[in-house]
Amino acid sequence: METTRVTTTDKDVESLETDLLVYFATQVKDKAPKCDKAVAAQVKKAFNLGDFKGKQGEQLFYYPAVLGKKKQPNAKRVLVLGLGKVASEEDRAMGCECLREAGGHLAKVCEKIQAKEMIISLPLLDILGADKTAASLIEGVLLGDYRFTKYKKVTRKKTDYPGLGAVKFAATSSVKLVRRGVLQGKIWAQAACAARDMAHEPGNGWTSADFAAFAKDIAKRHGLDYRCIEKKEMEKLGMGGILAVNQGSVIPPRMVILEYQPAKKSETILLVGKGLTFDSGGISLKPGAGMEDMKYDMCGGAAVLAAMQAVAEEKPSVGVVAIIPATDNMPSGSAVRPGDIIRHYNRVTAEIINTDAEGRMILGDALAYGIETYKPDCVVDVATLTGAVVIGLGHHYSGLISNNDTLALCLEEAGKQAGEPIWRLPLNKHYKKQIESKVADIKNIGGKAGGTITAAAYLSNFVGKTPWAHLDIAGTAWDFTEKAYIPKGPSGIGVRTFLTLIRNWETGKLK
Ligand code: BES
Ligand code: MN
Ligand code: ZN
């Protein structure tokens, strides 16, 4: 929940009153699980009875008041949550993911017991610092505690759980580190939740104007540069791609731009996100069944804008520019037709064979304009671009296509660290040949075979030699792998991957 108060304390947790006090236990082969000495006796007892091994997600509850002894915790309930073995292994990314899932489990427990607040006694893990541990846990809690209730006011019961009011972290050492981790985890989780909020909004609740307003608000609050290219200016600039897609719509298109530059001159990362606020397919109309899901076709734009919210708050030492080409794709007497030829911002002409392959058309203009204007050191675009990526990778990996091996590696690594896995697909001249047109420079579809790659082949015409990576999140932006901290519906995917990429870029770990 966005309004959840998150704090850190170095007070003795046993003296604090709360709905739920949480400790953790890690699994040890053939031995009692490792845990804080405050709960060691209970854990050992449960282990000896065969009730608790500390497996991932395993829960051991007890109720201190009932035991009646003195010096019992003041909490109404104590929970020991199993972390499994993962956290004791070498792999840091897996450790973080395990903690995020633990946080998600905690959010579910809190909903079940209707907890207003909980205190988390931070586990000490050898492989992760206290900051990463706290960050991952709070990410999991806040992402798991997410709910979208804006349009459910009348039928919602008073007793429905409103979400966590407060979370307190208790740490007796490294309090400064924990504070830093908690703050960062909170910023990242809130950004991902903001992306989910945008995605949840239907086509009549989130238009190009809403993208613009959200960006403007970030700029105002944090001093970023905001620009919005309106329809008239698009016409002047010759942005034939986004204009063509918008032709059937009564809502004007917008190219929303946010620029963050650090005080000290640095490299610049350009992020471009598909902000298609509703994709009917246009004249190449989609079938009716499931068409309502196409309100999610703006998840790329949401990811980019939400990431900027966190960038604005964290102020990294690398520059970040975000561009969101935003419009809906509607059929009408004025809509673009199959067979029409359009001219993009960079003068490349395209024959429109299928008006439902519209994402690449709006991204083409945004990529070419962004690269020319901001001369970034690399560009990453993110889009719910093809149904084909769902066939190829299912709902568990986002597809990646890139013209640069180093950038591709950076993204794969960032995705792994964020718990948002990415799988690279190839691109070469044979795929590019599939989108050759008889009458224009290119055409906008390349046949059934390799649909995700031929879509990327189209985009490759707008990036020149700039290191570029394209993420196809059509399979992961919603219905993403079920996890304790990813509820059904929009996942907010991409946000934390981008923030991780930016962080790694800053520290120069991968370049
Ligand atoms: N927004 C869709 C892609 C999509 C499909 C996202 C399913 C999420 C779930 C995109 O604009 C589209 O319609 N792509 C077409 C391309 C085709 C016409 C070449 C597709 O994938 O069917
Ligand atoms: Mn489409
Ligand atoms: Zn689309």
Side-chain angles (χ1 to χ4, degrees):
M1 209 171 68
E2 203 170 315
T3 50
T4 311
R5 278 186 47 235
V6 188
T7 52
T8 305
T9 179
D10 56 2
K11 284 206 189 99
D12 170 29
V13 287
E14 310 230 330
S15 66
L16 300 170
E17 272 177 42
T18 184
D19 294 322
L20 180 70
L21 171 58
V22 182
Y23 291 94
F24 297 90
T26 50
Q27 199 176 351
V28 187
K29 200 170 182 271
D30 300 327
K31 278 201 194 140
K34 233 171 91 182
C35 61
D36 193 297
K37 65 175 186 307
V39 289
Q42 272 85 357
V43 165
K44 189 134 192 248
K45 226 175 185 175
F47 174 76
N48 287 339
L49 287 168
D51 293 359
F52 185 75
K53 293 191 176 65
K55 281 190 202 152
Q56 192 177 3
E58 212 181 346
Q59 299 174 2
L60 170 67
F61 271 101
Y62 69 93
Y63 300 85
V66 181
L67 296 176
K69 274 201 243 155
K70 276 195 182 151
K71 259 224 108 207
Q72 285 288 320
N74 261 329
K76 288 191 190 127
R77 312 163 182 86
V78 175
L79 165 64
V80 185
L81 183 65
L83 290 176
K85 292 177 194 153
V86 178
S88 56
E89 281 172 13
E90 268 305 292
D91 193 326
R92 292 162 61 87
M94 254 164 86
C96 289
E97 179 67 357
C98 169
L99 288 165
R100 262 181 235 119
E101 295 220 40
H105 284 300
L106 292 180
K108 287 193 167 161
V109 167
C110 286
E111 172 157 27
K112 188 175 162 229
I113 63 171
Q114 303 260 311
K116 285 200 180 64
E117 58 147 84
M118 103 174 126
I119 298 179
I120 297 177
S121 170
L122 209 68
L124 279 178
L125 302 171
D126 313 332
I127 52 155
L128 294 176
D131 50 348
K132 269 231 155 75
T133 303
S136 307
L137 268 171
I138 194 63
E139 260 181 42
V141 170
L142 296 179
L143 289 168
D145 191 42
Y146 175 83
R147 43 188 67 69
F148 184 75
T149 56
K150 182 176 161 190
Y151 294 106
K152 242 181 169 330
K153 292 284 188 272
V154 176
T155 56
R156 209 175 143 75
K157 293 188 214 72
K158 276 215 176 72
T159 51
D160 283 350
Y161 184 58
L164 268 163
V167 180
K168 197 172 265 177
F169 280 86
T172 42
S173 60
S174 332
V175 180
K176 246 183 151 174
L177 267 185
V178 174
R179 277 218 172 91
R180 193 190 308 155
V182 165
L183 179 64
Q184 180 252 295
K186 185 178 154 183
I187 290 175
W188 288 25
Q190 284 181 340
C193 289
R196 289 176 183 176
D197 278 345
M198 295 178 208
H200 265 295
E201 289 284 359
N204 65 346
W206 192 265
T207 67
S208 64
D210 295 285
F211 268 122
F214 196 99
K216 198 172 178 178
D217 184 57
I218 296 178
K220 218 169 73 193
R221 279 188 291 132
H222 300 281
L224 270 58
D225 269 345
Y226 161 83
R227 253 198 82 196
C228 178
I229 304 178
E230 310 268 350
K231 188 171 172 180
K232 274 229 167 68
E233 197 181 349
M234 286 178 188
E235 282 162 356
K236 256 191 239 145
L237 291 168
M239 293 182 163
I242 184 167
L243 285 167
V245 173
N246 181 257
Q247 245 171 256
S249 174
V250 292
I251 304 167
R254 288 179 176 88
M255 188 85 76
V256 178
I257 306 176
L258 264 185
E259 179 176 9
Y260 161 78
Q261 291 296 349
K264 206 171 132 214
K265 204 177 155 29
S266 163
E267 293 182 317
T268 297
I269 299 174
L270 173 62
L271 303 175
V272 177
K274 173 178 174 184
L276 216 293
T277 54
F278 182 73
D279 183 12
S280 72
I283 296 298
S284 314
L285 195 64
K286 285 183 183 294
M291 202 202 267
E292 67 278 9
D293 280 350
M294 282 302 131
K295 67 179 173 184
Y296 297 137
D297 211 15
M298 36 56 75
C299 282
V304 163
L305 190 51
M308 282 317 270
Q309 172 182 306
V311 164
E313 288 173 35
E314 292 198 311
K315 304 212 168 8
S317 61
V318 56
V320 188
V321 178
I323 304 190
I324 299 131
T327 175
D328 53 359
N329 181 24
M330 300 296 279
S332 97
S334 61
V336 67
R337 290 159 289 250
D340 282 2
I341 297 175
I342 62 156
R343 191 186 294 278
H344 276 287
Y345 175 75
N346 66 349
R347 315 313 287 157
V348 170
T349 58
E351 183 188 7
I352 305 312
I353 305 294
N354 188 319
T355 65
D356 196 12
E358 84 298 335
R360 59 201 79 181
M361 295 162 67
I362 68 171
L363 289 169
D365 285 342
L367 285 166
Y369 177 83
I371 289 171
E372 185 190 283
T373 312
Y374 297 96
K375 302 183 176 49
D377 296 277
C378 75
V379 53
V380 185
D381 78 77
V382 56
T384 47
L385 205 61
T386 66
V389 81
V390 194
I391 306 297
L393 298 176
H395 296 290
H396 311 300
Y397 278 80
S398 300
L400 163 69
I401 286 123
S402 178
N403 63 2
N404 183 288
D405 292 345
T406 311
L407 180 60
L409 270 176
C410 287
L411 267 162
E412 282 173 333
E413 179 59 27
K416 194 173 152 201
Q417 289 175 10
E420 301 181 337
I422 288 167
W423 198 262
R424 189 175 179 185
L425 300 168
L427 172 60
N428 63 25
K429 62 179 182 193
H430 304 298
Y431 295 101
K432 291 181 184 172
K433 195 162 187 289
Q434 279 179 244
I435 56 161
E436 278 176 10
S437 162
K438 288 203 174 75
V439 293
D441 295 324
I442 48 176
K443 59 182 178 184
N444 81 330
I445 61 170
K448 247 193 165 165
T452 302
I453 305 173
T454 51
Y458 189 97
L459 299 179
S460 72
N461 286 282
F462 305 93
V463 297
K465 292 218 155 52
T466 305
W468 157 71
H470 158 66
L471 284 177
D472 194 332
I473 56 167
T476 50
W478 71 98
D479 288 347
F480 184 39
T481 320
E482 216 177 313
K483 301 185 197 185
Y485 69 93
I486 311 271
K488 288 212 164 63
S491 58
I493 202 144
V495 176
R496 289 177 306 104
T497 296
F498 285 148
L499 295 172
T500 308
L501 178 80
I502 292 164
R503 154 100 47 87
N504 290 346
W505 200 281
E506 255 186 310
T507 52
K509 263 191 218 141
L510 269 167
K511 243 197 282 180

